[in-house]
Amino acid sequence: MRTPHHSRAGKFTLAVAALVALAGGFVGVSAAAASSPQASVADTGENYVIGTDTTFAPFEYRENGELVGIDMDLIRAVAENQGFTVEIRSLGFDAALQALQSNQVDGVIAGMSITDERRLVFDFSDPYFDSGVQMAVAEDNTSIGGYADLAGETVVAKRGSEGETFATSISDEFGFTVKSLADSATMYDDVKAGNSVAVFDDYPVLAYGINQNNGLKSITEKEQGSSYGFAVNLGQNPELLAAFNAGLAELESSGEYQQILDRYLESPATAADSGFFGLLADSLPALMKGLGLTLLATGLSILIALVLGVMFGFFKVSESRILRGIASTYVSIFRGTPLLVQAFFFYFGLPQLTGQSIDVLTAGVLTLSLNAGAYMTEIVRGGIQSVDPGQTEAGRSLGLSYVTTMRKVVLPQAVKIMTPSFINQFVMTLKDTSLLAVIGFAELTYQGQQIYAANFRTGETLLIVAALYFIVINLLTLLSNKLDTRFNK
Amino acid sequence: MSTTTASKISVTGLRKSFGNNEVLKGLDVQIAEGEVVCVIGPSGSGKSTFLRCLNKLEQITAGSVVVDGFDLTDPAVNLNEVRQHIGMVFQHFNLFPHMTVLQNIMLAPVELKKVSKADARTAALALLARVGLSDKADARPAQLSGGQKQRVAIARSLAVNPDIMLFDEATSALDPEMVGEVLQVIRDLAAEGMTMVVVTHEMGFAREVADRVIFMAEGLIVEEGTPAELFGNPQQPRTQDFLSKVL
């Protein structure tokens, strides 16, 4: 279940962890581990550092800022049962595994499937959860009762997941088409919207979603899939592993284990539909953090883009063919390729080429500033060239140098012409930050996605996100225009 | 007419091409200190390009232009320094629209650190008085008539105390009733002994103020002489043809 899914998504969560580490104070969440407390002998009262994923509801996710979920409740209950304490680090899936391999954490619990490959590098506990694939349809759908009713229909599954593998394996037999989407929330919306009749997803994820009133109902038994296990580094912390197994066994026999599962998979949602304003109040703290990062990335990018734009803009109007060539090449590369491709390239491609990893804020700002810089270059060039050449001639014929003529005569007029375009570019860049959600940059849109991934209230959440963008952009535009009229007479 | 010694401006074999289009095809002109030379000729004859070569607003393709002993084609010559001795007035004024009239005039003296700001201001006001625009010191160029703009432009050129003035069809963009006021300023400058090269379509004016008139056509000097010679008794058929159309 998690194996294929996380090979991709893990990079996003890793990115989040890296970002959080970098933007620490700004985000207000301290997650990424810098120091590495070394594990020693297991004793009662020992403290263990446990790594986990950022969001994988219902196993781990944040509710009111607190890490909750089956994994979280289970590891805490086991710790209490066995008399040790845990410090949870929400690192992201891949990052947690890397931290485990480098002994920066003592164990990992992250809805991780026990596979033969992983057994080569980790020691696994007894399985604590048997996952599997399940099919669900819209709540009001009465025509689909099983796989046989799917003939001629389209179903949806998560790209690269075991659900997709399973659905594809039976698609010929039952005559339906499988379509792939990136995450659970959008799959469920796809089914509710009627674009697909059914969804194949991990059963605990699906059960949790139904629990959260996502508007679906499950109609088949789960297909047996892999099992989840708690992991320690190969040969390390055997006493922790033993304690986990012992604790798990005790919780299972005491019924506490089942209570934990029921809490997330069976019982009705604890916080039922809280209404729009409840959602607003709940989501606002996370969204404001996202907005902060959006503004940070926008501010940094615009500043760098301005420097790039002025530099290459002057290159473009210079008499040197080489400088003009450099500027033209730069502009055509960054205007001639999609921003999304650039973001992927800087975040995923560049580290592979250079062997140097790059954090998501750096990659994001690099992408946005280089992209906006190309447009700024054209704005600066256009601004300078739109000033009558007679102005330069008048300045030069008075004996003023090129630089003085630029500074005193051309630029004051050019800046006035450029200002509206600058404001426009500023707004564009602010909106473009939302594209960085795809590389896991925890800005406003990303935060919105995280929220509806957990509560499945896609429409309302996106409405709030859009409203925040709208308000901020219009306030900034208003301010910019005020400054423009003030300084440009 | 030309003098072998102490020419203020000495042009030899001047050629200028834009791409494959040769606009000046080898000009030789000597201009003495204090001389007023008017350049006339049909559109496209290269008059303005010739003028713009005299302060190197145009790159010189071949030949040499020596002003005050400085060879403009010599890369070692500090053009900015040389240009401070050569004022230029443009057909379209080219006033700086983001500055007041006074700021337009003060910019070069202040930026070139020739004088203090206070002195530049005093000098600028004096220049404005000289062109009859004392009351426009704080106006913006956009608030002026064409004739007023051109007079400000002349004052601006004079602010760096040039000893040569170049006029590039300075009255061509003006309404007819404003031509007179600008010509009067130029006439006054001529009377003061300023060395001037005036590209103009005002034949009457050329006849009146010029020491020498040069007739250009198709990138060449066809004929030159005193106004009386050139207007009264043109030798070349091309000159006769042109004058018969404009006089």
Side-chain angles (χ1 to χ4, degrees):
Chain A
M1 340 250 96
R2 308 218 63 198
T3 324
H5 171 58
H6 268 84
S7 62
R8 178 179 47 78
K11 285 209 167 133
F12 299 170
T13 44
L14 166 65
V16 180
L19 161 79
V20 165
L22 191 132
F26 203 89
V27 192
V29 181
S30 67
S35 62
S36 57
Q38 287 301 310
S40 53
V41 203
D43 271 318
T44 325
E46 185 70 50
N47 183 51
Y48 290 104
V49 181
I50 306 295
T52 188
D53 199 354
T54 42
T55 302
F56 185 55
F59 289 92
E60 43 265 337
Y61 60 99
R62 284 180 190 277
E63 202 171 85
N64 305 323
E66 287 298 305
L67 266 174
V68 295
I70 295 171
D71 283 347
M72 298 301 99
D73 288 8
L74 186 62
I75 189 72
R76 286 177 185 130
V78 166
E80 196 184 349
N81 180 276
Q82 295 292 309
F84 62 90
T85 56
V86 289
E87 181 187 333
I88 308 281
R89 293 212 176 137
S90 173
L91 299 173
F93 191 75
D94 284 353
L97 298 196
Q98 282 162 15
L100 183 58
Q101 280 180 283
S102 54
N103 293 318
Q104 290 177 18
V105 296
D106 301 312
V108 163
I109 186 162
M112 176 165 40
S113 299
I114 303 171
T115 64
D116 289 339
E117 271 180 9
R118 287 187 181 136
R119 281 187 192 282
L120 297 176
V121 286
F122 302 130
D123 285 331
F124 280 97
S125 70
D126 297 334
Y128 67 84
F129 190 86
D130 292 325
S131 192
V133 175
Q134 206 175 12
M135 181 175 89
V137 296
E139 228 161 21
D140 53 7
N141 186 327
T142 51
S143 58
I144 308 283
Y147 301 146
D149 299 323
L150 293 175
E153 303 283 2
T154 298
V155 304
V156 63
K158 200 179 295 176
R159 197 171 297 133
S161 73
E162 210 160 85
E164 185 187 39
T165 311
F166 175 74
T168 308
S169 73
I170 62 166
S171 62
D172 279 349
E173 185 187 342
F174 295 101
F176 59 86
T177 312
V178 182
K179 164 170 114 180
S180 296
L181 286 175
D183 60 82
S184 293
T186 43
M187 292 198 300
Y188 302 161
D189 284 336
D190 201 54
V191 172
K192 276 190 286 183
N195 299 331
S196 312
V197 294
V199 54
F200 285 80
D201 203 2
D202 287 5
Y203 116 79
V205 178
L206 194 56
Y208 171 77
I210 290 169
N211 226 353
Q212 296 286 312
N213 307 315
N214 71 353
L216 301 187
K217 61 180 180 189
S218 58
I219 50 169
T220 55
E221 288 303 306
K222 70 172 175 179
E223 304 289 339
Q224 185 58 53
S226 57
S227 298
Y228 295 170
F230 170 74
V232 295
N233 209 357
L234 198 65
Q236 303 274 326
N237 292 315
E239 71 295 333
L240 174 59
L241 201 59
F244 184 89
N245 283 335
L248 180 63
E250 285 196 29
L251 294 178
E252 278 175 346
S253 57
S254 74
E256 195 178 344
Y257 170 78
Q258 194 56 44
Q259 281 173 14
I260 292 172
L261 292 195
D262 291 350
R263 194 176 301 155
Y264 294 98
L265 301 180
E266 294 297 333
S267 63
T270 39
D273 197 330
S274 53
F276 180 77
F277 290 101
L279 174 68
L280 185 63
D282 289 345
S283 58
L284 216 51
L287 291 180
M288 292 317 272
K289 277 178 204 163
L291 185 60
L293 277 178
T294 292
L295 293 175
L296 176 70
T298 307
L300 286 174
S301 302
I302 282 289
L303 276 181
I304 299 170
L306 200 60
V307 173
L308 291 174
V310 168
M311 185 174 84
F312 286 112
F314 275 105
F315 279 15
K316 272 223 139 177
V317 297
S318 90
E319 288 176 4
S320 156
R321 190 179 300 177
I322 296 168
L323 291 183
R324 284 203 308 270
I326 291 172
S328 297
T329 308
Y330 163 66
V331 169
S332 53
I333 288 174
F334 284 93
R335 280 207 314 193
T337 53
L339 183 60
L340 210 51
V341 172
Q342 293 166 15
F344 280 132
F345 177 78
F346 283 117
Y347 190 56
F348 297 122
L350 205 57
Q352 286 175 18
L353 294 179
T354 62
Q356 192 75 38
S357 73
I358 185 167
D359 68 80
V360 72
L361 179 66
T362 308
V365 168
L366 197 64
T367 308
L368 285 179
S369 50
L370 284 169
N371 186 274
Y375 289 93
M376 290 277 204
T377 299
E378 286 304 308
I379 294 172
V380 170
R381 178 198 60 76
I384 290 173
Q385 289 185 340
S386 67
V387 175
D388 177 8
Q391 293 287 308
T392 307
E393 290 180 353
R396 297 308 304 274
S397 73
L398 286 167
L400 300 176
S401 66
Y402 175 81
V403 173
T404 307
T405 306
M406 268 291 160
R407 202 165 48 85
K408 289 286 176 177
V409 175
V410 177
L411 285 184
Q413 301 180 56
V415 166
K416 201 166 152 181
I417 296 165
M418 293 177 218
T419 307
S421 305
F422 275 142
I423 294 172
N424 193 43
Q425 185 58 48
F426 177 56
V427 170
M428 295 288 289
T429 300
L430 199 155
K431 288 192 287 191
D432 284 348
T433 54
S434 68
L435 289 172
L436 299 181
V438 298
I439 59 168
F441 181 61
E443 46 67 64
L444 183 52
T445 303
Y446 178 90
Q447 295 287 0
Q449 289 173 341
Q450 292 289 302
I451 289 166
Y452 67 70
N455 68 12
F456 302 100
R457 295 167 68 177
T458 317
E460 291 163 287
T461 309
L462 285 176
L463 208 60
I464 297 172
V465 167
L468 283 174
Y469 276 117
F470 181 84
I471 292 167
V472 167
I473 286 172
N474 280 286
L475 282 179
L476 287 172
T477 308
L478 206 67
L479 181 72
S480 304
N481 287 335
K482 274 237 155 67
L483 292 176
D484 181 24
T485 40
R486 181 150 173 194
F487 289 111
N488 285 331
K489 186 170 51 83
Chain B
M1 199 77 215
S2 65
T3 51
T4 45
T5 56
S7 280
K8 192 75 176 168
I9 300 171
S10 173
V11 177
T12 327
L14 173 61
R15 289 174 178 273
K16 168 67 187 174
S17 301
F18 294 103
N20 293 326
N21 181 22
E22 190 169 51
V23 178
L24 300 180
K25 300 169 179 169
L27 305 186
D28 297 286
V29 184
Q30 305 293 322
I31 296 171
E33 178 145 18
E35 194 181 4
V36 177
V37 174
C38 285
V39 184
I40 61 171
S43 296
S45 60
K47 317 182 288 290
S48 286
T49 307
F50 163 63
L51 194 74
R52 292 159 60 86
C53 285
L54 298 184
N55 65 353
K56 219 183 167 193
L57 277 186
E58 300 292 352
Q59 291 295 317
I60 292 162
T61 309
S64 78
V65 175
V66 180
V67 179
D68 274 342
F70 294 104
D71 185 352
L72 301 190
T73 53
D74 179 357
V77 163
N78 182 350
L79 268 183
N80 296 335
E81 180 65 32
V82 177
R83 281 173 177 157
Q84 290 170 30
H85 302 286
I86 312 172
M88 186 162 198
V89 176
F90 300 87
Q91 180 178 357
H92 295 288
F93 330 127
N94 297 350
L95 291 180
F96 307 135
H98 57 298
M99 300 179 186
T100 64
V101 164
L102 204 58
Q103 287 166 337
N104 263 276
I105 301 172
M106 288 167 61
L107 177 71
V110 171
E111 285 299 319
L112 296 169
K113 308 244 174 349
K114 286 190 140 184
V115 288
S116 72
K117 216 164 184 169
D119 288 349
R121 189 184 163 81
T122 312
L125 287 170
L127 282 169
L128 273 181
R130 190 165 152 194
V131 298
L133 291 171
S134 291
D135 56 330
K136 298 293 184 188
D138 295 319
R140 294 264 171 179
Q143 298 166 309
L144 304 179
S145 73
Q148 290 170 331
K149 282 181 191 166
Q150 197 58 298
R151 285 189 277 158
V152 171
I154 294 171
R156 182 178 66 179
S157 302
L158 293 172
V160 285
N161 294 318
D163 40 35
I164 298 170
M165 286 289 286
L166 309 177
F167 292 88
D168 188 3
E169 303 191 22
T171 58
S172 296
L174 297 179
D175 290 339
E177 75 268 24
M178 292 172 181
V179 170
E181 62 190 68
V182 173
L183 290 183
Q184 186 54 47
V185 174
I186 302 175
R187 194 177 283 124
D188 292 346
L189 280 172
E192 289 165 22
M194 176 78 74
T195 307
M196 303 202 289
V197 183
V198 182
V199 170
T200 186
H201 290 298
E202 302 285 336
M203 297 304 151
F205 179 74
R207 191 194 293 248
E208 174 200 336
V209 301
D211 295 316
R212 178 161 45 127
V213 179
I214 293 175
F215 173 70
M216 282 182 69
E218 282 138 28
L220 289 166
I221 294 175
V222 176
E223 187 169 356
E224 59 180 303
T226 63
E229 288 167 354
L230 197 108
F231 290 111
N233 185 20
Q235 301 298 307
Q236 301 292 327
R238 189 74 184 80
T239 318
Q240 292 160 0
D241 179 53
F242 174 75
L243 290 175
S244 71
K245 284 173 184 158
V246 298
L247 287 179

